[in-house]
Amino acid sequence: MTAEVTHSLDKEFNPWLAAEARFHTAADTLGLDDGLRKVLRSPAREITVNIPVGMDDGRLEVFTGYRVQHSIARGPAKGGIRYAPDVTLDEVRALASWMTWKCAVVNIPFGGGKGGVICNPVYLSQGELERITRRYTAEIIEFIGPEVDVPAPDMNTNEQTMAWIMDTYSMHKRQTVTAVVTGKPVNLGGSRGRTEATGRGCLLVAQEALKLFGMKPAEARVVIQGFGNVGGMAARLMARTGFKIVSIIEYDGAVYNPAGLDIEALLLHRKATGSILDFAGGENIDREEAMFLECDILLPAAKENVLHSGNAHRVRAKILCEGANGPTTAQADEILAARNVFVIPDILANAGGVTVSYFEWVQDRQGFFWNEDLVNTRLEEIMVNSFQDVTGLAGRHKVHNRTAAYMLALDRVAFAIKLRGIYA
Ligand code: GLU
């Protein structure tokens, strides 16, 4: 590869530049003035912390962590914290801005934030993870809180991580403050239905999209990339609803069954063997081959930049339902549009998680907890309405769904900023 090509790929794969490209397309269509554009695209606050941690072997190690609060115009910053070796400030910045737009698309009263710690959880013990989490929390403690910024799980963090953050924050405040984070265990102030929420949201919008194609779930062949919290849960819920999950793709390979995989059996197989491969109810196939199978719904639910200018022309799905944040690069958008792929953009498709996070925050603050049916009914109402808002706007303005989702979000955030005015 020449240096020039590498450089342009670097640019294409930089999530912050991707977020900017989508932002400007929507801002142009809305005719947003320059001043507001500057305010909306600049993250309000970016915190970098270096976290000293005593390791199990007695060594002292320092990890770098970030928390970016992109906007608090519509309410407290809201968004997950991820642990990964390749976390960068640009990535966290992009993810924080996507949270602002995501919360605005589903119209919940939050701004957007995101956090990340550069570390590789594969090589860390529970004790080391706990110490990293507690010290990271202590370093950003003045900047989080139920009314300020409310973290949640993201890649490689889970309800245990949230319980540690909640405990550390509460110890400093000398009182138990459950609403400081969401995605907690149900018996510690968590919400019923939160673990399933992102996957359930994907199911709900996929169902709505199918209706536009005049198709029933039983006729829909689905390929899912990722079998974790988002992909695994979406697979499970979609299979229960009658969708035919023909392939699941993981980091070590893919499994395929044209008649539909038995998802519950596949989950058990992975639990027993540690991998989805060599499953009796399907055949192993190449990951690339699986990604570009002819299907009705392709659901990337793993990481960023999986569809890009080098492979988007190979997509053979009618509907792309973005379970992950940023799975498609800005350059791939046009290629998918030219292929008439119906895109349900990430800031809509995966908003089920933060929506139930909102429900969790509401329940914590009221000290009154809902049953799962109520959570799911309210989630469905929000996801279906938001899908209709986005596709309705796309139809009226003759723009792609992604641009429409950004337009809806930008307009709502800009409205809040205009009404509040600029404090000087
Ligand atoms: N990390 C999830 C997301 O990207 C959930 C965020 C939240 O619940 O605050 O949407």
Side-chain angles (χ1 to χ4, degrees), residues 128-165:
E128 288 166 340
L129 280 171
E130 178 171 354
R131 293 194 290 281
I132 291 174
T133 303
R134 286 188 185 276
R135 184 64 189 251
Y136 170 71
T137 308
E139 295 295 336
I140 61 168
I141 206 145
E142 299 97 318
F143 307 107
I144 59 171
E147 316 287 344
V148 185
D149 179 0
V150 186
D154 199 78
M155 232 182 248
N156 298 325
T157 55
N158 53 29
E159 46 176 56
Q160 174 62 78
T161 326
M162 296 307 116
W164 289 329
I165 297 178

Side-chain angles (χ1 to χ4, degrees), residues 78-82 95 99 102-103 110 113-114 150-155 182-183 194 198 325 350-351 353-358:
K78 183 84 194 82
I81 294 173
R82 63 173 51 178
L95 288 158
M99 288 308 303
K102 195 185 297 187
C103 292
F110 287 134
K114 201 81 172 198
V150 186
D154 199 78
M155 232 182 248
T182 59
R194 175 62 185 86
T198 312
N325 289 312
N350 70 36
V354 74
T355 300
V356 177
S357 275
Y358 165 55

Side-chain angles (χ1 to χ4, degrees), residues 377-394:
T377 309
R378 288 187 163 151
L379 173 64
E380 178 167 356
E381 197 181 318
I382 289 184
M383 294 306 294
V384 171
N385 287 344
S386 306
F387 179 92
Q388 280 160 4
D389 287 347
V390 169
T391 50
L393 196 68

Side-chain angles (χ1 to χ4, degrees), residues 10 13-20 43 46 64 66-70 80-99 113-119 154-156 302-305 324-327 346:
D10 277 355
F13 287 175
N14 180 319
W16 177 242
L17 296 180
E20 286 262 277
E46 303 183 343
T64 299
Y66 307 107
R67 184 74 189 170
V68 174
Q69 293 163 0
H70 174 260
I81 294 173
R82 63 173 51 178
Y83 288 176
D86 54 357
V87 166
T88 63
L89 184 55
D90 262 356
E91 179 192 23
V92 178
R93 210 176 254 154
L95 288 158
S97 73
W98 287 331
M99 288 308 303
K114 201 81 172 198
V117 177
I118 307 173
C119 65
D154 199 78
M155 232 182 248
N156 298 325
K303 50 185 178 123
E304 287 124 64
N305 299 330
N325 289 312
D346 48 5

Side-chain angles (χ1 to χ4, degrees), residues 120-326:
N120 193 344
V122 175
Y123 302 117
L124 296 167
S125 69
Q126 278 294 98
E128 288 166 340
L129 280 171
E130 178 171 354
R131 293 194 290 281
I132 291 174
T133 303
R134 286 188 185 276
R135 184 64 189 251
Y136 170 71
T137 308
E139 295 295 336
I140 61 168
I141 206 145
E142 299 97 318
F143 307 107
I144 59 171
E147 316 287 344
V148 185
D149 179 0
V150 186
D154 199 78
M155 232 182 248
N156 298 325
T157 55
N158 53 29
E159 46 176 56
Q160 174 62 78
T161 326
M162 296 307 116
W164 289 329
I165 297 178
M166 190 277 268
D167 183 68
T168 307
Y169 185 84
S170 298
M171 288 294 111
H172 280 253
K173 298 289 163 192
R174 295 280 181 257
Q175 56 177 299
T176 297
V177 187
T178 51
V180 63
V181 282
T182 59
K184 297 178 297 294
V186 170
N187 52 12
L188 209 63
S191 175
R192 293 196 166 76
R194 175 62 185 86
T195 318
E196 299 82 2
T198 312
R200 185 175 295 280
C202 293
L203 160 73
L204 292 166
V205 290
Q207 273 175 322
E208 291 306 299
L210 275 188
K211 285 184 198 159
L212 299 179
F213 283 83
M215 286 177 71
K216 296 199 170 35
E219 297 159 346
R221 296 156 303 165
V222 186
V223 173
I224 302 183
Q225 185 205 31
F227 206 42
N229 180 39
V230 181
M233 208 50 87
R236 182 176 237 172
L237 296 172
M238 284 176 136
R240 274 189 213 154
T241 314
F243 286 77
K244 212 186 286 173
I245 318 293
V246 293
S247 184
I248 297 280
I249 311 168
E250 272 271 77
Y251 64 94
D252 55 348
V255 281
Y256 173 63
N257 183 341
L261 293 159
D262 178 341
I263 297 299
E264 297 299 330
L266 183 59
L267 284 163
L268 287 175
H269 170 80
R270 195 208 19 209
K271 202 170 174 191
T273 66
S275 167
I276 57 167
L277 300 180
D278 303 324
F279 174 54
E283 55 174 303
N284 293 347
I285 60 168
D286 179 66
R287 303 167 65 216
E288 283 273 305
E289 188 186 339
M291 193 77 182
F292 304 112
L293 280 169
E294 194 191 330
C295 65
D296 300 293
I297 302 174
L298 173 60
L299 202 162
K303 50 185 178 123
E304 287 124 64
N305 299 330
V306 293
L307 296 174
H308 48 78
S309 55
N311 67 12
H313 60 280
R314 293 173 62 197
V315 171
R316 289 192 293 154
K318 288 193 183 69
I319 298 165
L320 175 68
C321 180
E322 296 184 335
N325 289 312

Side-chain angles (χ1 to χ4, degrees), residues 354-416:
V354 74
T355 300
V356 177
S357 275
Y358 165 55
F359 298 161
E360 180 172 332
W361 179 78
V362 167
Q363 292 170 76
D364 286 342
R365 284 161 36 116
Q366 291 192 328
F368 181 72
F369 290 86
W370 312 350
N371 65 34
E372 195 166 341
D373 279 350
L374 185 57
V375 170
N376 290 343
T377 309
R378 288 187 163 151
L379 173 64
E380 178 167 356
E381 197 181 318
I382 289 184
M383 294 306 294
V384 171
N385 287 344
S386 306
F387 179 92
Q388 280 160 4
D389 287 347
V390 169
T391 50
L393 196 68
R396 284 197 300 284
H397 287 267
K398 308 221 171 337
V399 293
H400 308 321
N401 290 339
R402 190 186 313 280
T403 304
Y406 272 75
M407 285 169 68
L408 183 66
L410 258 63
D411 198 39
R412 283 182 176 154
V413 182
F415 181 78

